[in-house]
Amino acid sequence: MLSQTLAITFLLFIGIFPNPDFKENSLYPVTSINPVSVTYDALIAKNGVLPSEEVFNLAIQGWDKMKDNLKSKILTVIDFSLPSTAKRMWIIDPEKGEILLNSVVSHGRNSGDLMAKTFSNIPESFKSSLGFYKTAETYSGKHGYSLRLDGLEKGFNDQARNRAIVIHGADYAKEDFAKSVGRLGRSLGCPALPTELSAQAIDLIKDGSLLFIFGKDDNYLAKSSLIKA
């Protein structure tokens, strides 16, 4: 019953579920509730830990604007306002109301130690870049099975291809590493995942899904067009 209620609530939010009480092709005017909050609460009830509601809402805003240009409706959220010891990456199926994967993820070595504090779009900065990305093709490279990313936000992450910012597995991104060192190891800017989970994650999100990387950065929050209502 919860799954059915969640699905209907989310369809109301994204504007594709017709209200049978209105004439054909009219849409239900959701004005009395915040459907994102309802969806968030239902996801919490069903799946447990999620990113903060603020981060989730920002991710959903971008997803709603981009969903018609995506091959896959899967949404990945990385919250770099959390420490690297936390499971701060979520792969979400918004339409089914399910968390498909929750994992730790590394940030760039020049973004910070335990916490990612600074971000950059500049090549050779070795920092993480914020914003929305579209996942692209897979390949086998230095770190094995990897996933290319295309940054969608000019000035914030549109150099992702030039910088070779990809999703890949790394031994330094494992929780055991964090337990021994006090933080995850850091990448050259890539969102690196534990090697035992990386292939599963890549297969879930490859070929045209949306990835949102959040961080506490006033410049991004003020200027990103994808998170403005």
Side-chain angles (χ1 to χ4, degrees):
M1 186 64 182
L2 175 60
S3 178
Q4 182 180 17
T5 301
L6 172 61
I8 292 173
T9 300
F10 198 86
L11 290 172
L12 287 174
F13 167 62
I14 61 176
I16 62 175
F17 191 91
N19 181 353
D21 294 330
F22 284 78
K23 65 182 180 180
E24 187 176 1
N25 296 327
S26 66
L27 298 178
Y28 188 82
V30 181
T31 57
S32 60
I33 61 172
N34 178 348
V36 177
S37 294
V38 173
T39 303
Y40 181 83
D41 291 342
L43 277 166
I44 287 285
K46 184 177 181 181
N47 299 281
V49 178
L50 277 176
S52 71
E53 189 165 8
E54 173 197 4
V55 175
F56 178 80
N57 287 353
L58 295 177
I60 288 294
Q61 286 177 27
W63 183 88
D64 188 50
K65 291 178 181 179
M66 295 297 301
K67 65 181 185 292
D68 291 338
N69 297 316
L70 301 172
K71 292 181 180 179
S72 167
K73 295 301 188 288
I74 299 301
L75 171 65
T76 304
V77 181
I78 294 175
D79 184 357
F80 278 155
S81 69
L82 298 174
S84 65
T85 50
K87 290 185 176 182
R88 54 185 180 171
M89 185 193 80
W90 293 262
I91 299 177
I92 304 169
D93 185 329
E95 295 182 337
K96 292 183 179 179
E98 296 178 351
I99 307 300
L100 305 178
L101 190 68
N102 180 210
S103 173
V104 295
V105 57
S106 290
H107 56 254
R109 73 185 188 194
N110 287 343
S111 281
D113 293 326
L114 177 64
M115 306 292 298
K117 297 180 179 180
T118 61
F119 308 93
S120 178
N121 190 39
I122 299 173
E124 307 304 320
S125 66
F126 303 145
K127 293 184 178 184
S128 297
S129 299
L130 301 180
F132 288 89
Y133 300 75
K134 182 184 286 189
T135 65
E137 74 276 11
T138 61
Y139 70 100
S140 183
K142 176 182 177 182
H143 298 285
Y145 189 48
S146 304
L147 176 64
R148 297 194 192 279
L149 302 172
D150 289 315
L152 301 177
E153 301 200 68
K154 186 175 178 59
F156 291 107
N157 61 24
D158 59 322
Q159 292 298 309
R161 283 268 177 173
N162 292 339
R163 296 181 62 201
I165 300 300
V166 303
I167 291 179
H168 63 77
D171 288 339
Y172 60 73
K174 294 184 177 183
E175 291 184 76
D176 287 346
F177 185 101
K179 289 177 182 177
S180 63
V181 178
R183 59 165 173 79
L184 286 191
R186 296 160 299 162
S187 68
L188 299 183
C190 298
L193 299 176
T195 49
E196 65 270 20
L197 293 177
S198 59
Q200 178 187 0
I202 288 170
D203 283 341
L204 285 170
I205 68 176
K206 64 183 179 181
D207 297 331
S209 71
L210 196 65
L211 163 68
F212 176 55
I213 299 180
F214 173 84
K216 291 183 178 179
D217 183 90
D218 291 340
N219 185 49
Y220 174 75
L221 295 174
K223 295 181 179 179
S224 170
S225 61
L226 290 177
I227 63 173
K228 292 181 179 178

